Amino acid sequence: MVADAPSPGPRLGFLYPGHSAEDEYPRLGTLVDARPVVELVHTSVGEDAHRVDALLDLGGPERLAEGASHLAGRVDAVLWACTSGSFVFGLDGARRQAAAVGEALDVPSSSTSLAFVAALRALGATRPAVAATYPPDVVSAFASFLAEAGTDVVATGAEDILTATEVGTFGRERVRSFVLAGDHPDADVVLVPDTALHTVEWIDELEATLGKPVLTANQVTMWEALRLVGAPHGGQAGLGALFAL
């Protein structure tokens, strides 16, 4: 007798700008118990630059609406899988940005920046350090965004990398080096905000070395998508303290 095929998991849509570390999403989909169907759409990019004016354009409504149109009728939730292209709008702007995408598709919606806020609350963490790939002014914008959400950053590190394309080439040693350097003794969690950065394979190692939770952009984005649809996302091994909750 042939066993019934497992039911498909939730259909999760991700709007991802350009091409850098998008392979982490199907990878995460195979690692979590919910076994989601990952629907990833690449949104258009004007200029690949971690610069505020370029990021405001990157997260503009026309680019997101065009990307979302490819997910119509295909997903149960949608995430704007970009940190810098959401937090540069401020907290209220990021909420409006995500809401507009959700309304267009008639599904729950969020973004990576909002996912960081939700993940901090889930962990009960209140004193984050930020280890970022961005230039200093963009890191400051992220810290300001978190402050608007009620969380004060205790320390920031800025690698001053201008493009997502370069960030996507970082390997284990480069990631490990700047994340550890971005920690602070007073921090109860380290945030690594860039969806262009590969981190999924090294989260447990980073946490073991630092002795505290590490939240990375693609990790929190997948967690938030699962949370939005009420899918199982706790008790997972290998994906850090957030997924172990």
Coordinates of all heavy atoms in Angstrom, one line a residue, residues 50 132-137 139 157-163 166:
H50 N 24.1 50.6 -0.6 CA 23.6 50.9 0.8 C 23.8 52.4 1.1 O 24.6 52.8 1.8 CB 24.5 50.1 1.8 CG 24.2 48.6 1.8 ND1 25.1 47.6 1.9 CD2 23.0 47.9 1.5 CE1 24.6 46.4 1.9 NE2 23.3 46.6 1.6
A132 N 26.6 45.1 11.5 CA 26.0 45.3 10.2 C 27.1 45.4 9.1 O 28.2 45.8 9.3 CB 25.2 46.6 10.3
T133 N 26.6 45.1 7.9 CA 27.5 45.2 6.8 C 27.5 46.6 6.2 O 28.3 47.0 5.4 CB 27.0 44.3 5.6 OG1 25.6 44.6 5.4 CG2 27.1 42.8 6.0
Y134 N 26.5 47.4 6.7 CA 26.2 48.7 6.1 C 27.3 49.8 6.4 O 28.0 49.7 7.4 CB 24.9 49.3 6.6 CG 23.7 48.3 6.5 CD1 22.9 48.2 7.6 CD2 23.4 47.6 5.4 CE1 21.8 47.3 7.6 CE2 22.4 46.7 5.3 CZ 21.6 46.6 6.5 OH 20.5 45.7 6.4
P135 N 27.2 50.9 5.7 CA 28.0 52.1 6.1 C 27.4 52.7 7.4 O 26.2 52.4 7.8 CB 27.8 53.1 4.9 CG 27.4 52.2 3.8 CD 26.6 51.1 4.3
P136 N 28.2 53.5 8.1 CA 27.7 53.9 9.5 C 26.4 54.7 9.5 O 25.6 54.5 10.4 CB 28.9 54.9 9.9 CG 30.1 54.3 9.2 CD 29.6 53.9 7.9
D137 N 26.1 55.5 8.4 CA 24.9 56.3 8.5 C 23.7 55.4 8.3 O 22.6 55.6 8.9 CB 24.9 57.4 7.4 CG 24.9 56.8 6.0 OD1 25.6 55.8 5.8 OD2 24.3 57.4 5.1
V139 N 23.6 52.2 9.3 CA 23.5 51.5 10.6 C 22.8 52.4 11.6 O 21.9 52.0 12.4 CB 24.9 51.1 11.2 CG1 24.7 50.4 12.5 CG2 25.6 50.2 10.2
G157 N 28.3 48.1 15.0 CA 29.4 47.9 14.2 C 29.0 48.0 12.7 O 28.0 47.6 12.3
A158 N 29.9 48.7 11.9 CA 29.6 49.0 10.5 C 30.7 48.5 9.7 O 31.8 49.1 9.8 CB 29.3 50.5 10.3
E159 N 30.5 47.6 8.8 CA 31.5 47.1 7.9 C 31.7 48.0 6.7 O 32.7 47.9 6.0 CB 31.2 45.7 7.4 CG 31.3 44.6 8.4 CD 32.7 44.4 8.8 OE1 33.6 43.8 8.0 OE2 33.1 44.9 9.9
D160 N 30.8 49.0 6.5 CA 30.9 50.0 5.5 C 31.0 49.4 4.0 O 31.8 49.9 3.2 CB 32.2 50.9 5.7 CG 32.1 52.2 5.1 OD1 31.0 52.6 4.7 OD2 33.1 53.0 5.0
I161 N 30.2 48.4 3.8 CA 30.1 47.7 2.5 C 29.0 48.4 1.7 O 27.9 48.5 2.2 CB 29.9 46.2 2.6 CG1 30.9 45.6 3.5 CG2 29.8 45.6 1.2 CD1 32.3 45.7 3.0
L162 N 29.3 48.9 0.5 CA 28.3 49.7 -0.2 C 27.3 48.9 -0.9 O 26.1 49.3 -1.0 CB 29.1 50.6 -1.3 CG 28.2 51.5 -2.0 CD1 27.4 52.5 -1.1 CD2 29.0 52.3 -3.1
T163 N 27.6 47.7 -1.5 CA 26.7 46.9 -2.3 C 26.3 45.6 -1.7 O 27.1 44.9 -1.1 CB 27.3 46.7 -3.7 OG1 28.4 45.7 -3.6 CG2 27.8 48.0 -4.3
E166 N 28.5 42.6 -3.1 CA 29.7 42.3 -2.4 C 29.4 41.5 -1.1 O 30.0 40.5 -0.7 CB 30.5 43.5 -2.0 CG 31.8 43.2 -1.3 CD 32.6 44.4 -1.0 OE1 32.3 45.5 -1.4 OE2 33.6 44.3 -0.2

